Amino acid sequence: MDWLQIIVLALVQGITEFLPVSSSAHLILVPVLTGWQDQGLAFDVALHIGSLGAVLIYFRQDILVMTRSWAHSLVTRRLDSDARLAWAVLLGTIPVGLAGLVFDDIIADTLRSPLYMAAGLILFGIALGWADWKHRGQRDERQLTWKDVLFIGIAQAIALLPGTSRSGITITAALLLGLSREAAARFSFLLSIPVIVIACGLMTVELIDSGNDTDWQAMFAGVVISGISAYLCIHYFLGFIKRIGMQPFVIYRIALGLVLIVFFV
C-alpha cells in the first residue's frame, strides 16, 4: 500500500468504528471509488488495535474504577454501580460471541454483499431515528437492569449482519430502553471493548496461520492514525449528539445506502 491508501483507510476505520454509520459499508465502498486492492488481514488487525487503544484511553478512568469494583465484587459478592456496569459490559458481550460462533460462516457466505449492506444501512438507520425521536429518556448506563443488558446484547449480536453498525444498533437499543443519548453512546463504546479484543484475537490467529509477510511500517501507521481519529471521533460525537441528536446520522445512513444501491445494483 502507498501512504495515501494507508492514511485514507485508517481515517475511515477510526472515524466510522464508533459512529452509528457502519464501518464495513465504508470500507467496502473505498476500494470501489479508488480502485485499490484489498489492504489485507494484517492491516485490518492494526486498524482495530488503533480503535481499541482509542476507547481504552478515552475511558481509562472509568475502566480503572470499574475493574477495581469488579475484582472486589468477586471477593465480596457485593455489587456497587461500577461493578454492575463492568458485569453489564461482560454479560452484554455473550450474545454476540455465541452468534458469531454459530452464524459467522453463514453471514460471510451469503449476506456480505453491497445490497444487504444497503438494506441494513437504511432499515436500521430508520430504527435509530425512530428510537431517538420517540423513546430516548434520562436514564444513565449505571441504571441498566440485567434484562436491559440482555436486550442490548442481543441487539449487538444482530450487528453481525452487514450494514447494521454495531454502535448504531446498540445505541438504538439503549435509546429504546429510555437511556439518554450520551448514556446510550457511552455504554455502546464500553461494550465495544471486549468485542474488539475478541475480533483482534481471532484475526491475529488467522494472520499467524496464514504465514504472510507483514509490512510493519504500514501496521504502525495504521494503529496511530486510526487510534487518533477514533479518539477524536468519540470525544466530538458525545458532544454532538447532546446538542443535535442522531438524526444527521440517520440521513447519512439512508444516503449511503442509496449510493451503494446505485453503485452495485
Side-chain angles (χ1 to χ4, degrees):
M1 294 184 293
D2 59 31
W3 278 102
L4 178 61
Q5 184 177 3
I6 292 170
I7 293 169
V8 169
L9 290 175
L11 287 174
V12 168
Q13 169 67 24
I15 293 171
T16 61
E17 177 67 32
F18 297 109
L19 294 182
V21 296
S22 179
S23 59
S24 59
H26 286 79
L27 291 174
I28 255 195
L29 192 58
V30 168
V32 173
L33 297 176
T34 60
W36 290 333
Q37 295 295 317
D38 183 82
Q39 64 270 20
L41 183 61
F43 196 65
D44 284 342
V45 174
L47 297 184
H48 282 81
I49 290 174
S51 299
L52 176 62
V55 71
L56 288 174
I57 293 171
Y58 192 88
F59 291 102
R60 60 191 180 279
Q61 294 181 345
D62 300 86
I63 294 169
L64 180 60
V65 173
M66 288 164 57
T67 302
R68 288 174 176 171
S69 295
W70 177 80
H72 190 255
S73 73
L74 293 176
V75 177
T76 63
R77 297 189 179 182
R78 296 178 181 176
L79 298 177
D80 60 15
S81 61
D82 292 306
R84 284 178 60 87
L85 182 57
W87 279 111
V89 171
L90 294 175
L91 295 176
T93 307
I94 294 175
V96 71
L98 294 176
L101 289 173
V102 176
F103 298 112
D104 189 56
D105 290 340
I106 298 173
I107 293 171
D109 293 339
T110 61
L111 297 180
R112 291 197 183 279
S113 74
L115 182 59
Y116 283 115
M117 284 192 179
L121 281 165
I122 294 170
L123 293 177
F124 289 106
I126 293 171
L128 173 63
W130 181 67
D132 184 52
W133 179 40
K134 285 289 189 179
H135 292 276
R136 75 175 187 276
Q138 296 302 318
R139 298 174 67 200
D140 68 27
E141 64 272 26
R142 285 176 166 77
Q143 295 175 309
L144 289 168
T145 67
W146 300 121
K147 289 183 179 179
D148 295 336
V149 172
L150 178 62
F151 181 72
I152 297 173
I154 292 172
Q156 182 170 237
I158 296 173
L160 291 172
L161 297 174
T164 303
S165 171
R166 191 211 60 82
S167 61
I169 196 168
T170 51
I171 290 173
T172 299
L175 290 172
L176 289 172
L177 294 169
L179 269 69
S180 68
R181 290 165 174 161
E182 308 96 281
R186 285 195 301 268
F187 187 66
S188 173
F189 295 155
L190 290 172
L191 202 57
S192 73
I193 294 172
V195 172
I196 298 176
V197 168
I198 293 170
C200 285
L202 293 174
M203 286 191 292
T204 300
V205 170
E206 186 177 345
L207 180 62
I208 293 171
D209 290 340
S210 69
N212 292 331
D213 293 333
T214 301
D215 184 347
W216 292 107
Q217 188 178 40
M219 291 272 285
F220 179 77
V223 170
V224 173
I225 296 170
S226 67
I228 292 173
S229 57
Y231 183 94
L232 294 174
C233 176
I234 293 171
H235 176 75
Y236 287 109
F237 176 70
L238 289 172
F240 181 87
I241 59 173
K242 185 176 182 178
R243 298 191 308 272
I244 299 175
M246 299 291 178
Q247 302 310 318
F249 299 101
V250 175
I251 296 170
Y252 179 79
R253 286 180 65 114
I254 294 172
L256 181 59
L258 295 175
V259 168
L260 287 175
I261 291 172
V262 169
F263 268 96
F264 292 100
V265 176

